[in-house]
């Protein structure tokens, strides 16, 4: 069973339209929509924004629906000058950039007393997602790399530079690494697929809603194609 999570309604609306709905369940204020997408059994859900919402959502998918693969889609801010608005970033791993216990000697981003710094994505899913994206979105660039998550919208040059320097991340968003941690603890596979909506600085703020709409169309085709090939 495949769980597909987006943080915002607009991020999952088109995905829900492209499935045959069989069942629905409400839990923790979230609507879990079960059905068939590209011939596979899936549950699509809007988690809400931020790491806590995502952690709760991913655990419900595992416990109540027996999900063994988690996919997080949505938009993100680019942390690399080569990664443009509309391009796709596929996670190799994920880190929570706002975890900071450096005062007690841990590197920033390290969750104290966990046996890993970052949460690795499923290598086969990453490879497959790259292949599918090149087929379904041939006009945009496909990147793989580290996804950084924190309960902050990144929109300042200094913060962006800090994230690049400290974590070598490809994009910043607010949920993926919480899903990655949940996947890690439950030993299920995951991948994060993000379309770039902004440059994580204060450029082009006016066009943000338009960029979000365009970015969403890019990952919808990718997710449907990926599910079909899994
Ligand atoms: N989601 C989309 N753009 C983002 C940004 N710049 N920071 C955090 N989350 C985002």
């Amino acid at each position: 069973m495949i769980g597909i999570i987006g943080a915002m309604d607009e991020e999952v609306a088109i995905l829900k339209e492209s499935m045959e709905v069989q069942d629905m369940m409400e839990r923790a204020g979230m609507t879990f929509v079960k059905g068939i997408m590209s011939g596979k059994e899936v549950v699509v859900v809007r988690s809400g924004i931020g790491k806590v919402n995502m952690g709760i959502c991913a655990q419900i998918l595992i416990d109540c629906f027996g999900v063994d693969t988690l996919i997080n889609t949505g938009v993100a801010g680019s942390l690399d000058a080569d990664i443009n608005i509309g391009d796709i970033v596929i996670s190799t791993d994920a880190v929570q950039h706002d975890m900071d216990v450096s005062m007690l000697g841990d590197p920033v981003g390290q969750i104290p007393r966990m046996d890993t710094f970052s949460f690795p994505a499923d290598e086969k899913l990453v490879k497959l997602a790259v292949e599918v994206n090149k087929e379904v979105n041939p006009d945009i660039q496909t990147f793989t790399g580290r996804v950084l998550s924190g309960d902050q919208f990144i929109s300042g040059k200094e913060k962006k530079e800090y994230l690049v320097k400290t974590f070598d991340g490809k994009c910043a968003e607010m949920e993926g690494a919480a899903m990655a941690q949940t996947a890690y603890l439950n030993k299920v596979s995951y991948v994060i697929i993000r379309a770039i909506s902004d440059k994580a600085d204060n450029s082009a703020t006016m066009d943000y809603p338009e960029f979000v709409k365009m970015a969403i169309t890019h990952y919808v085709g990718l997710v449907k194609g990926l599910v079909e090939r899994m």
Side-chain angles (χ1 to χ4, degrees):
M1 179 73 84
I2 303 163
I4 304 171
I5 314 173
M8 303 187 289
D9 281 323
E10 57 269 39
E11 288 177 331
V12 292
I14 312 175
L15 288 169
K16 282 185 192 162
E17 281 165 21
S18 48
M19 66 190 280
E20 189 190 311
V21 177
Q22 293 174 328
D23 204 4
M24 290 216 221
M25 184 187 92
E26 298 281 333
R27 186 67 60 94
M30 302 168 194
T31 306
F32 294 80
V33 183
K34 190 176 162 199
I36 305 293
M37 179 188 291
S38 309
K40 302 276 162 49
E41 278 201 298
V42 298
V43 183
V44 176
V45 57
R46 174 193 53 78
S47 61
I49 294 168
K51 304 200 307 299
V52 174
N53 280 325
M54 175 55 90
I56 292 168
C57 184
Q59 191 63 52
I60 293 172
L61 281 170
I62 293 165
D63 289 345
C64 301
F65 295 93
V67 160
D68 52 15
T69 303
L70 287 165
I71 301 174
N72 171 221
T73 63
V75 293
S78 167
L79 295 176
D80 184 325
D82 291 338
I83 309 181
N84 298 318
I85 291 170
D87 288 345
I88 292 281
V89 175
I90 297 161
S91 62
T92 49
D93 62 339
V95 171
Q96 292 167 27
H97 68 76
D98 56 353
M99 172 58 72
D100 184 355
V101 190
S102 55
M103 242 284 288
L104 298 179
D106 280 317
V108 186
Q110 172 70 45
I111 300 173
R113 304 185 190 199
M114 281 199 83
D115 60 359
T116 185
F117 174 72
S118 74
F119 303 105
D122 184 90
E123 283 176 23
K124 280 197 209 117
L125 278 177
V126 174
K127 199 164 162 266
L128 196 56
V130 170
E131 277 170 28
V132 172
N133 198 49
K134 286 183 176 161
E135 283 167 29
V136 299
N137 290 315
D139 299 333
I140 58 171
Q141 302 185 93
T142 311
F143 292 87
T144 57
R146 178 171 286 169
V147 172
L148 304 183
S149 310
D151 290 323
Q152 300 159 5
F153 192 93
I154 307 303
S155 62
K157 196 167 166 278
E158 253 174 50
K159 182 79 189 198
K160 179 178 171 175
E161 276 166 12
Y162 158 81
L163 291 178
V164 174
K165 202 167 80 178
T166 313
F167 302 106
D168 192 25
K170 289 275 185 277
C171 69
E173 38 84 304
M174 301 174 71
E175 295 86 18
M179 186 190 78
Q181 182 180 350
T182 311
Y184 182 81
L185 290 170
N186 289 275
K187 298 187 171 54
V188 304
S189 53
Y190 89 86
V191 68
I192 302 164
I193 293 170
R194 292 277 174 166
I196 298 302
S197 56
D198 59 276
K199 295 289 238 172
D201 51 22
N202 46 19
S203 63
T205 324
M206 296 272 285
D207 296 325
Y208 181 71
E210 281 312 307
F211 290 151
V212 168
K213 274 190 215 149
M214 183 259 284
I216 288 172
T217 62
H218 289 172
Y219 70 71
V220 166
L222 166 54
V223 170
K224 285 198 284 187
L226 176 63
V227 168
E228 193 179 334
R229 301 261 290 269
M230 278 167 67

